[in-house]
Amino acid sequence: MAKERLDKLIASTGRWSRREVKNLVREGRVFADGQLAHSVEEKYDADTCRISVNGEALTLRRHTYVMLHKPAGVLSATEDGRGRTVLDLLTPELRKIGVFPVGRLDKDTEGLLLLTDDGELAHALLSPKKHVDKVYYARVTGRLVPEDCAAFAAGMTLGDGLECMPAGLEILSAGEESECLVTLREGKFHQVKRMLAARGKPVAYLKRLSMGALRLDETLAPGAFRLLTPEEEGLLRQ
Ligand code: URA
């Protein structure tokens, strides 16, 4: 494990900014591996070091992973002058760490949104080459038929020339309104809505259920979030 600067390690808890850590060190409140810390630039191994602030031993995390049940009406952007973003739903401490959403959900889409400060993992989860399936539940207007599933499986080219990789479409119910599960390996702009609209079945409701082996915790109400468990972090890396 590469070593990290003391201020980065302590700030990763989300409890203090780097500037605050500098003051804590200056005031003699920080111990690292049993020694009084003198400089925030000193580097320590995040896996093995023992750091305490004001006598309290810290639990260090190299990265932070947050599962949010995104509600409708909130943007997945990190900053937007026009409306609330998913970051506004988190605590100030998590915002301070600098977590960002892994991919985007449309404003009216609900469901699983992962936020992290781990750029490498975020990139891997979004890259079509890594084959991370994203599963969506959709309610559409119109009757879904097996031909729709075949078109998804074959890979569709939309009216505007957008080429979509083969995707999964499982029909859950079919009638004037239909319900389905859509499985994608990529995440082009409005992709689920555009693919279903291209089949003449516009989406009325959309919710993401999973990314790879990580499933939305349905005990989280829309707008609620929690940190991933170590097991869930492991699932993401599979
Ligand atoms: N596809 C869409 O059309 N919208 C989303 O929010 C996600 C996938």
Side-chain angles (χ1 to χ4, degrees):
M1 170 66 62
K3 291 187 168 187
E4 301 276 12
R5 283 171 56 124
L6 185 60
D7 52 356
K8 179 152 187 243
L9 287 169
I10 298 179
S12 76
T13 61
R15 294 171 61 186
W16 301 276
S17 66
R18 286 202 185 193
R19 182 175 309 158
E20 287 165 342
V21 174
K22 199 167 189 174
N23 288 333
L24 289 169
V25 168
R26 199 176 290 147
E27 291 162 12
R29 295 162 182 262
V30 179
F31 277 77
D33 286 340
Q35 305 287 324
L36 183 65
H38 292 292
S39 163
V40 290
E41 288 167 25
E42 202 75 45
K43 290 189 172 175
Y44 297 88
D45 185 326
D47 281 342
T48 58
C49 70
R50 290 165 295 117
I51 295 177
S52 66
V53 174
N54 295 327
E56 180 198 343
L58 302 185
T59 306
L60 297 178
R61 309 169 70 94
R62 202 163 136 71
H63 286 297
T64 299
Y65 305 92
V66 180
M67 176 190 293
L68 169 72
H69 187 162
K70 180 190 171 297
V74 181
L75 295 159
S76 301
T78 45
E79 248 177 68
D80 193 287
R82 291 162 300 161
R84 273 201 318 158
T85 76
V86 287
L87 291 184
D88 296 321
L89 300 171
L90 305 182
T91 59
E93 287 77 17
L94 285 169
R95 282 199 290 274
K96 222 185 279 176
I97 290 174
V99 296
F100 57 87
V102 178
R104 291 192 173 203
L105 292 177
D106 296 336
K107 189 171 179 184
D108 59 353
T109 300
E110 298 185 357
L112 175 64
L113 188 66
L114 179 69
L115 296 105
T116 183
D117 56 350
D118 183 348
E120 219 170 287
L121 190 77
H123 179 74
L125 288 172
L126 296 175
S127 164
K129 288 194 203 111
K130 301 277 182 185
H131 299 300
V132 179
D133 285 343
K134 287 103 192 161
V135 179
Y136 298 84
Y137 164 85
R139 210 164 45 234
V140 301
T141 307
R143 181 181 293 276
L144 285 167
V145 291
E147 289 74 26
D148 296 322
C149 304
F152 269 56
M156 294 169 60
T157 302
L158 305 185
D160 58 6
L162 180 76
E163 302 226 2
C164 302
M165 291 167 76
L169 176 64
E170 184 186 336
I171 301 173
L172 300 176
S173 71
E176 275 176 34
E177 269 208 337
S178 305
E179 295 171 295
C180 61
L181 295 177
V182 175
T183 304
L184 297 184
R185 285 202 170 156
E186 49 186 351
K188 293 178 173 146
F189 189 57
H190 296 328
Q191 188 166 353
V192 173
K193 291 178 186 163
R194 288 160 80 191
M195 290 176 78
L196 284 163
R199 300 294 307 168
K201 320 283 158 63
V203 168
Y205 174 80
L206 189 61
K207 175 177 180 180
R208 182 156 64 196
L209 303 180
S210 63
M211 281 181 91
L214 181 68
R215 295 187 58 80
L216 175 67
D217 175 350
E218 294 284 356
T219 67
L220 288 176
F225 65 88
R226 64 164 173 78
L227 296 181
L228 292 196
T229 63
E231 291 73 30
E232 287 170 331
E233 285 186 23
L235 291 177
L236 277 185
R237 293 209 174 76
Q238 271 173 12

